[in-house]
Amino acid sequence: DERLRRLLPIQGTIPERLKRLFYFRFLTETQLSALAELCSVLRVEAGTLIFPEGDPAEAFFIVLSGKVQIYKTSFEGKEMIL
């Protein structure tokens, strides 16, 4: 957690946060600003379900701080952590 916190500090504007991420590092300031207009910051408590398995993709999530657990339900009904 501490290593991630140093790499992606919570401080800063959305374009500044995006610029620190690998996939967005080559975008121009104009492109980052345009992308930031489409973004919103969502803070969730530990244990919160962000979206259930099978829901249609309606958003793209970037984790700035913390961890997420992604799992799939097997045919037997057991949760498999991916």
Side-chain angles (χ1 to χ4, degrees):
D1 280 343
E2 185 56 38
R3 191 178 121 256
L4 181 63
R5 196 163 277 131
R6 279 184 279 130
L7 292 174
L8 300 172
I10 293 300
Q11 299 83 13
T13 65
I14 292 175
E16 290 168 344
R17 292 177 186 184
L18 292 173
K19 183 78 170 177
R20 295 183 192 116
L21 300 171
F22 176 80
Y23 294 106
F24 304 113
R25 70 175 188 249
F26 296 112
L27 296 180
T28 66
E29 296 301 319
T30 302
Q31 291 169 324
L32 286 168
S33 294
L35 181 58
E37 290 294 319
L38 303 172
C39 294
S40 56
V41 176
L42 174 66
R43 293 177 188 263
V44 296
E45 296 291 324
T48 301
L49 180 65
I50 299 173
F51 60 89
E53 180 180 350
D55 266 14
E58 295 178 355
F60 178 80
F61 295 92
I62 301 169
V63 178
L64 295 173
S65 177
K67 298 178 184 180
V68 295
Q69 182 178 25
I70 301 173
Y71 62 90
K72 179 160 184 60
T73 306
S74 71
F75 291 115
E76 296 83 27
K78 295 182 180 181
E79 290 181 357
M80 301 181 307
I81 299 173
L82 303 178

